[in-house]
Amino acid sequence: MSDLKIAVLGAGIVGSTTVIELKKEFRNASVHIISEKFQNETTSYVAAGIFSPEGGNLAGNEERTRKWLVDSYNYWNNIRRTQNFEMTGVRELSGYIFSRDHPHIVKNEWLEKLLPLYRAAEEDEMAMYPGGWKYGSYFTTLQTVPGNYLKWTANIIEDLGIKVEKRKVSSFAEVCDDFDILVNCTGMGAKFLCKDKAVFPLRGQLSIVRAPWIKEFVFGEWDTYVIPSFENVILGGCRQYESYDTAVNRYDALSMEERCKNMIPSLNKGQLVEYRVGLRPYRVPTRVEKEYRLVGSKLVKIVHNYGHGGQGITFSPGTSLNAVQLVRDMLTEKQSKL
Ligand SMILES: Cc1cc2nc3c(=O)[nH]c(=O)nc-3n(C[C@H](O)[C@H](O)[C@H](O)COP(=O)(O)OP(=O)(O)OC[C@H]3O[C@@H](n4cnc5c(N)ncnc54)[C@H](O)[C@@H]3O)c2cc1C
């Protein structure tokens, strides 16, 4: 397959992970990554990076969701075990999740079955954090600091000889003649590229503060969370349905900072570093599938890998490995079967 040409569209965490796994699978192929934005311009860069599947079912099929989740955990954990944290941004992190009224919030069946530690929090542990918490869990999960990870993958992309093109793709027609197969990892961009009405933004905003004494994450109610990151601490958050506003909203900042400080009063001594805003590319289910699309008179092979919502850091390796498998399937499928 030495003449094989593959293009990955998008260079967030999903595109970056996918392109590397594709190049490893198709060593002799010419593999390209084409993207409008890279590194700190992407939504991925904004994320807190906690490995934490939300209660729902990302794939719309429990077995498939579990496979993505287990593959993802193993992928991240392998990086954590074999590489240096400062370089990759992948490490283990422990902390609490609390609720005043809802015991189900602190139980995450996906994580309970997967993580090395997931246990009920003791009364004295809950009392350490003001809020009158009645239910709580303590667990050890993984964190991928996206800024570090994206930089690390950029070096791997260069080392593997993957060709990098910075540009916006307005339609599949624009690129389909140059490649045998396209892999679409455009996140929110897929809403327009695929005219996919099921994709919508879930706006998020974070306050990044300097508070080096915070060593554990704490999730409270109302999307309130405090997460230590590489050098700083992340205070969040919010989820605003169908908001396309990427400007910092000072009322959101005031609300989330107050909620976090109520939970951890020592944050009053923290210093603000910056704000971050991102649009989570939400879709139910996340789209990881093959498509044969007629563009003019050409039948174009496309594998989609987008719509990870608030869980793209968690699930990107699992869906990317799945997408690589779909590329292999498409390339070996007989034209006569189409
Ligand atoms: C505040 C916040 C906190 C979060 N915290 C977490 C967390 O703790 N854990 C977790 O798992 N997830 C978290 N997420 C979710 C996570 O950030 C996303 O699910 C993930 O970043 C999606 O990755 P992506 O690569 O699909 O999208 P993106 O990072 O948006 O990348 C899409 C890429 O496609 C490119 N693109 C789009 N359209 C085109 C086009 N037409 N032509 C060329 N290029 C195009 C873009 O330029 C970009 O490079 C959080 C998100 C936010 C906003």
Side-chain angles (χ1 to χ4, degrees), residues 277-291:
V277 178
L279 306 182
R280 301 172 181 92
Y282 197 77
R283 187 183 194 276
V284 180
T286 298
R287 189 176 186 197
V288 184
E289 67 182 20
K290 306 182 276 187
E291 183 189 3

Side-chain angles (χ1 to χ4, degrees), residues 128-178:
M128 288 190 310
Y129 294 97
W133 307 115
K134 199 162 159 212
Y135 306 101
S137 295
Y138 179 83
F139 59 102
T140 299
T141 186
L142 299 172
Q143 179 185 36
T144 301
V145 179
N148 296 49
Y149 178 72
L150 289 173
K151 254 189 224 148
W152 183 59
T153 54
N155 290 332
I156 298 176
I157 285 168
E158 194 183 332
D159 291 349
L160 289 173
I162 294 164
K163 297 181 183 64
V164 180
E165 295 176 42
K166 187 168 170 64
R167 68 180 156 113
K168 180 170 182 170
V169 175
S170 313
S171 67
F172 293 116
E174 194 184 302
V175 280
C176 68
D177 285 340
D178 299 329

Side-chain angles (χ1 to χ4, degrees), residues 42-160:
T42 63
T43 303
S44 298
Y45 177 83
V46 173
I50 283 285
F51 184 93
S52 183
E54 289 156 12
N57 187 346
L58 202 76
N61 163 324
E62 202 151 312
E63 197 184 323
R64 197 176 186 210
T65 303
R66 192 171 302 286
K67 167 111 179 86
W68 287 352
L69 188 70
V70 172
D71 286 352
S72 297
Y73 185 79
N74 291 339
Y75 190 95
W76 291 130
N77 206 27
N78 185 44
I79 293 177
R80 175 190 74 82
R81 281 202 301 240
T82 57
Q83 311 282 338
N84 166 285
F85 161 62
E86 268 82 13
M87 193 169 68
T88 62
V90 186
R91 66 169 172 178
E92 256 184 356
L93 196 65
S94 301
Y96 295 94
I97 180 163
F98 295 131
S99 174
R100 267 182 290 274
D101 302 314
H102 305 287
H104 74 275
I105 288 182
V106 307
K107 288 191 68 65
N108 185 318
E109 285 180 19
W110 301 110
L111 289 183
E112 280 173 338
K113 291 189 182 134
L114 193 61
L115 298 182
L117 177 67
Y118 199 108
R119 62 161 174 81
E122 306 288 340
E123 298 255 324
D124 58 335
E125 291 175 290
M126 290 194 266
M128 288 190 310
Y129 294 97
W133 307 115
K134 199 162 159 212
Y135 306 101
S137 295
Y138 179 83
F139 59 102
T140 299
T141 186
L142 299 172
Q143 179 185 36
T144 301
V145 179
N148 296 49
Y149 178 72
L150 289 173
K151 254 189 224 148
W152 183 59
T153 54
N155 290 332
I156 298 176
I157 285 168
E158 194 183 332
D159 291 349
L160 289 173

Side-chain angles (χ1 to χ4, degrees), residues 236-249:
C238 58
R239 267 159 227 261
Q240 292 153 353
Y241 175 80
E242 264 202 311
S243 167
Y244 289 85
D245 186 2
T246 53
V248 174
N249 181 304

Side-chain angles (χ1 to χ4, degrees), residues 9-15 34-38 41-52 167-170 185-190 193 202-206 225 227 238 276-281 305-315:
L9 311 180
I13 196 143
V14 176
I34 304 173
S35 188
E36 184 185 10
K37 295 178 180 167
F38 287 83
E41 305 163 324
T42 63
T43 303
S44 298
Y45 177 83
V46 173
I50 283 285
F51 184 93
S52 183
R167 68 180 156 113
K168 180 170 182 170
V169 175
S170 313
C185 307
T186 53
M188 268 309 298
L193 200 57
L202 262 187
R203 180 184 177 278
Q205 181 172 314
L206 304 172
Y225 48 87
I227 302 174
C238 58
R276 288 184 190 164
V277 178
L279 306 182
R280 301 172 181 92
N305 185 10
Y306 67 83
H308 296 65
Q311 305 176 75
I313 312 298
T314 304
F315 278 97

